[in-house]
Each structure stands twice: as structure tokens, then as C-alpha cells.
Amino acid sequence: MKIVIFSHYKEVADEILKDSYAIVIDLLRATTTMIWAISNGAEKIIPVEEIYEARLLKNLNKSVLLGGERGGVQIEGFDLDNSPLSYKKEVVFGKTVVMTTTNGTRALKKAAGAKRTFLGSFINAKKTAEYIVNEALHQGIGTISIVCAGTEERFTLEDILCAGYFVELFKESFSNIYLDDLSIASYELYKKFENDPHEILKYSYHYNNLKKLGFVADLEFCLKKDFVDLVCEYKNLVVEKV
Amino acid sequence: MKIVIFSHYKEVADEILKDSYAIVIDLLRATTTMIWAISNGAEKIIPVEEIYEARLLKNLNKSVLLGGERGGVQIEGFDLDNSPLSYKKEVVFGKTVVMTTTNGTRALKKAAGAKRTFLGSFINAKKTAEYIVNEALHQGIGTISIVCAGTEERFTLEDILCAGYFVELFKESFSNIYLDDLSIASYELYKKFENDPHEILKYSYHYNNLKKLGFVADLEFCLKKDFVDLVCEYKNLVVEKV
């Protein structure tokens, strides 16, 4: 199995992507929030890039919830922000949520060119990796592409650490594995800080922005591993439980 | 001082680059070879992308030496390959060398949009960093851009490790320093393997290619630190000693 990591969506090489299974990681916070919402019973998530797209979908069906952020804060007239902690069972159970995020949605749309596209986070990494390993072996898939959302089209440390955790999980599962240079680097970085990712992330850009905005509880939440036991897939513009 | 690393030339953000001092790193082997050639008395290096450009310059002046590689090996009719060990004093002293490389030349041309553009390698990193620190402080420069050449427009581990060494040198020199996410990652990776970079590079793509081609001595050479005591600058299409 070949593991390839792209540090943001513009880096994605279509010729590698197209025959691979893809994992999209927007750790802080889009993919973590979507996975948590599904885990709390949301029926589906429709990620959209623009606020007016979200409003259009709400006009078509008043029962959908609108979620997302601009500059880290809730959008006027929206039901929810982008904090996973807002997506409680009593709020999202049985609902369709339309979410507008920038980096995360672009990364999902880009990665949709893969054979299948999954959402990645620390909170359900192990389950997701297990599922992908089984399916990939079964379907004869030779490459797994990890598409980091990045921030403002740049390398982003928290996505890379989570990607490094996936690399570790795949190293444990495949006897014959080839890692590209960024996979090697992500794995080594993850291993250096696996016991306390905050130790390195406290110097990083996006983590600090969220901290300044007061989302300390979100940072704790998004860095906890494997307490969610489901797999989310992005298909036909919609995120659903596999 | 703000330190920003770009993992390959296509990642370079012009609006950051233009007010910065840039360091271009094509560790294996273009920038190391150019620096070593200058150190052995070559008067100047003219990096060009295409073989026919190199031949045109030789037609204009028979005394220039042609150097470079395609697929790691010497080009037909050229005087030199891309191994630093070929650029001995008795061969290059007093000479102009026209070198054709792909990633390295593209990175130099891209980085030429900076206020000043220097060549980076392990062999003269300390001297280069010292010079840049002094000049940057003197000229009120607020950003240092490290432009990794990368390989085939992708993240390349050996360039990143060398960039991480520059980050360490700058951390020692500036009391007030801001590192972007890739600078933080490069620094941590460098520190993890500073005593034996071969330990991680033996898994990496380009290092392995060169090893397979038999350039083991080059790999040893390019990873040795600070035995060269000069600084090289790229200006008006030419690499010269500062």
C-alpha cells in the first residue's frame, strides 16, 4: 500500500488521487465537527462553500439546520457555529445540517475525485483506518491519499499531526507499505508529540487563532483520540455514516 | 523576524517573498554543488533549465564548463555531472560554469523575486545564516523565506531537514522570532534527526534514487555541516560569492 499526503487541497495530484481512497482532514474543526454531528445522530451533512448556498438550501427546506463560521464565529441567522460542542444530540438528532466552511469544503470537493472519500479526525481515526484497510484490500486499492485541508492554502500543523496518526495506523495494518516524504515527516512529527500534541501546536497558527477566540474546549476535544466508533463518507456532495 | 518555509517553488507566495530575504535549498544536490564549486574557485555559476540553453551559452564562449544531469547522470557532451565531488579546484578554478538542473533552477528563478536571494545547504549554513542575520537587521528586513526546491513539485524531506537547521540558527540569533507552521515542523524534524539525518532520509524518495544510482559519497558530503566558509547569492541570473 502506498500512502501519500497532500498538505492542502491545491497540492492534490489528480493522477494519484483518482485511483485511491482519500481521507480528508480539517482537524480544527470542520471534519471533527461533522463526524461528531453524525455521531450524535445527524442524518447527513451538506458542506457548502458560500453562505448564500447554505441559505438557499434552508429556503428549500426549513427543517435543515445551518452551521458554520466566518473568522471563527457563528454566521448571522445560522443555527450553529463550527464548534463540535454545539452539535449536541438534542440539537442535531435526525437532522440534515448544511455547513459552510472554507478549507474543509474545498478539500472535500477536491478529494471527491478519489474512488471513495472519507472524513478524518483524531476522534474516529482508528475506526476509519480499520474500515479503509479492509475495503482497500477487498477492492484491490493500491493508494491511500490523505488530503489535509490546510489553512489559507498552506501547510497546517494540526492536520499533519492527525495525518501522521493515520500513517501509524496504516503501518500497523499493511505488511508492505510505501510512504511518500510527507507521510514519513508527518509520522515522525506525530510520534514526537503523540503524548501531548498541544506541546507543539501551541506555537502553530490556526490553533492559536482558535485559542484567542476562546475555543480552548474545542482544542481539547479535537485532539482526543478514538472515542467515536463510526466512519463518515463524502459522496454525491453529502457526508453520511458508512 | 518572521520565518516562512515553502516546500517547493510552486508553493511560494509572491506577496510574502517580495519583501523578504530568500534562501533556496536544493540539498541533493544543486545548491550544495554550486556552493562547493564556488568554494573551489569557480568564478560564477549560471543556472539554466534546459540543455539547449546550456549549449547556447557554451557556443557563445567556449571557455565555460557545462554541468548538470538528467535522471541523475551526466548529459552527453557536458564537462561535468551534478555531483559536488566532480567540481574539484583543478577543474573549476577561475571558470564560469553553466549548470542545468530542473528543480533547483526553477526554485532560484522563483525566489529571485525576493529582495535578495541566497543559496542554502548544510555545508555553509552557519556562515549563510550569520550573513543574512546581519544584513537583515541592518536593512530592516522583517521576513526570511526559505524556498525548498522539492522534487517533482512535491515536499522533499532532505530540503526540509536543511531548512530546519536554518530555523535553528535563526532561533539562536533573533530574540523575537515568529515561525510559520512548516518552519515549526521542519525545526522539530531536524532536531529529531540532527545527529543522524540518514536515519530518516534512508526512507525518503530522492535520497534513495541517488543511492541506487551509486552516489553514496555525495549523500555523505551533502549532509555534512559547516565546513565551507562563504556565502553565495543569486542575482541577475548568476550565482556568485558575496
Side-chain angles (χ1 to χ4, degrees):
Chain A
M1 182 61 63
K2 187 174 175 179
I3 314 292
V4 178
I5 298 181
F6 301 104
S7 59
H8 57 81
Y9 74 96
K10 280 209 170 166
E11 283 273 279
V12 173
D14 292 325
E15 71 280 8
I16 295 172
L17 181 74
K18 70 179 175 38
D19 298 318
S20 74
Y21 279 179
I23 303 168
V24 175
I25 301 171
D26 187 357
L27 191 79
L28 298 176
R29 299 165 288 175
T31 53
T32 306
T33 299
M34 290 177 190
I35 290 161
W36 187 235
I38 298 280
S39 169
N40 276 334
E43 198 185 293
K44 59 168 84 82
I45 315 273
I46 308 176
V48 299
E49 268 183 65
E50 305 294 343
I51 294 171
Y52 63 80
E53 290 179 81
R55 293 207 167 112
L56 173 68
L57 299 187
K58 177 102 178 179
N59 274 337
L60 293 172
N61 185 337
K62 299 293 179 205
S63 77
V64 308
L65 296 175
L66 298 189
E69 65 171 346
R70 285 298 180 270
V73 294
Q74 191 166 327
I75 298 156
E76 209 194 308
F78 272 43
D79 305 291
L80 293 155
D81 60 7
N82 192 30
S83 167
L85 304 177
S86 305
Y87 291 69
K88 296 179 207 307
K89 201 165 192 168
E90 55 268 35
V91 178
V92 300
F93 193 88
K95 295 283 192 177
T96 292
V97 184
V98 176
M99 278 193 73
T100 175
T101 73
T102 46
N103 301 312
T105 303
R106 282 177 196 156
L108 282 167
K109 292 197 170 173
K110 183 72 194 176
K115 290 269 185 207
R116 293 181 72 180
T117 307
F118 301 93
L119 274 67
S121 74
F122 276 121
I123 72 174
N124 74 336
K126 196 167 274 180
K127 188 79 183 178
T128 303
E130 270 168 25
Y131 181 83
I132 290 174
V133 167
N134 284 331
E135 290 290 306
L137 289 173
H138 206 70
Q139 301 296 330
I141 295 293
T143 302
I144 296 168
S145 307
I146 303 179
V147 179
C148 296
T151 305
E152 295 156 16
E153 293 159 21
R154 300 220 52 208
F155 178 103
T156 295
L157 205 41
E158 66 273 10
D159 293 344
I160 288 293
L161 290 185
C162 184
Y165 182 41
F166 274 100
V167 173
E168 177 176 60
L169 295 168
F170 293 133
K171 274 167 71 89
E172 289 164 0
S173 301
F174 297 110
S175 52
N176 198 352
I177 194 162
Y178 168 82
L179 305 180
D180 77 341
D181 277 22
L182 187 51
S183 300
I184 297 166
S186 302
Y187 171 73
E188 294 294 347
L189 279 169
Y190 167 71
K191 290 303 283 178
K192 188 166 179 180
F193 296 98
E194 69 177 320
N195 294 322
D196 189 5
H198 298 277
E199 197 50 44
I200 183 171
L201 289 174
K202 70 184 179 197
Y203 302 111
S204 72
Y205 175 72
H206 185 51
Y207 177 98
N208 267 301
N209 276 353
L210 290 173
K211 201 170 166 183
K212 276 178 211 147
L213 288 166
F215 294 113
V216 177
D218 282 15
L219 300 176
E220 287 296 333
F221 183 92
C222 294
L223 289 160
K224 274 196 203 122
K225 271 181 260 182
D226 299 316
F227 59 90
V228 170
D229 212 29
L230 58 79
V231 178
C232 291
E233 183 166 6
Y234 179 65
K235 195 171 158 183
N236 302 327
L237 302 176
V238 171
V239 175
E240 282 176 303
K241 189 172 154 177
V242 168
Chain B
M1 181 60 64
K2 186 173 175 180
I3 314 291
V4 178
I5 298 182
F6 301 104
S7 60
H8 57 80
Y9 74 96
K10 278 206 171 168
E11 284 273 278
V12 172
D14 292 325
E15 70 281 8
I16 295 172
L17 181 74
K18 69 179 175 34
D19 298 318
S20 73
Y21 279 180
I23 303 168
V24 175
I25 301 172
D26 188 356
L27 191 79
L28 298 175
R29 298 167 288 177
T31 53
T32 307
T33 299
M34 290 178 190
I35 290 161
W36 186 235
I38 298 281
S39 169
N40 276 335
E43 197 185 294
K44 60 168 82 85
I45 315 272
I46 308 175
V48 299
E49 269 184 65
E50 305 293 345
I51 294 172
Y52 63 79
E53 289 178 81
R55 293 206 167 113
L56 173 68
L57 299 187
K58 177 102 177 180
N59 273 337
L60 293 172
N61 185 337
K62 299 293 178 204
S63 76
V64 307
L65 295 175
L66 297 189
E69 63 171 347
R70 284 300 179 270
V73 292
Q74 189 165 329
I75 299 158
E76 208 193 309
F78 272 42
D79 305 290
L80 293 155
D81 61 7
N82 192 29
S83 167
L85 303 177
S86 306
Y87 291 68
K88 297 181 207 305
K89 200 164 192 170
E90 55 267 36
V91 178
V92 299
F93 193 87
K95 294 282 191 177
T96 292
V97 184
V98 175
M99 278 193 73
T100 174
T101 73
T102 46
N103 301 311
T105 302
R106 281 177 197 156
L108 282 167
K109 291 197 171 174
K110 183 73 194 175
K115 289 270 186 207
R116 293 180 72 180
T117 306
F118 301 93
L119 274 67
S121 74
F122 276 122
I123 71 173
N124 73 337
K126 196 167 273 181
K127 187 79 182 177
T128 302
E130 271 169 22
Y131 180 82
I132 290 175
V133 167
N134 283 331
E135 290 290 307
L137 288 174
H138 206 70
Q139 301 295 330
I141 294 293
T143 304
I144 295 167
S145 306
I146 302 179
V147 179
C148 297
T151 306
E152 295 156 17
E153 291 159 23
R154 301 221 51 209
F155 178 103
T156 295
L157 206 40
E158 67 272 11
D159 293 344
I160 288 292
L161 290 185
C162 183
Y165 181 40
F166 274 101
V167 173
E168 178 176 60
L169 295 168
F170 292 133
K171 273 167 73 89
E172 289 164 359
S173 301
F174 296 109
S175 52
N176 198 351
I177 194 163
Y178 167 83
L179 305 180
D180 78 342
D181 277 22
L182 187 51
S183 300
I184 297 167
S186 302
Y187 171 73
E188 294 293 346
L189 279 169
Y190 166 72
K191 291 303 284 180
K192 189 166 178 178
F193 296 97
E194 68 177 320
N195 294 323
D196 189 6
H198 298 277
E199 197 49 45
I200 184 172
L201 289 174
K202 70 185 179 195
Y203 302 110
S204 71
Y205 175 72
H206 184 51
Y207 177 99
N208 267 301
N209 276 353
L210 289 174
K211 201 170 165 182
K212 276 178 212 147
L213 289 167
F215 293 114
V216 177
D218 282 14
L219 301 176
E220 287 296 333
F221 183 91
C222 294
L223 288 159
K224 274 198 203 121
K225 272 180 259 182
D226 298 317
F227 59 89
V228 170
D229 211 29
L230 58 81
V231 178
C232 291
E233 182 166 7
Y234 179 65
K235 196 172 159 184
N236 302 327
L237 303 176
V238 171
V239 175
E240 283 177 301
K241 188 172 155 178
V242 168

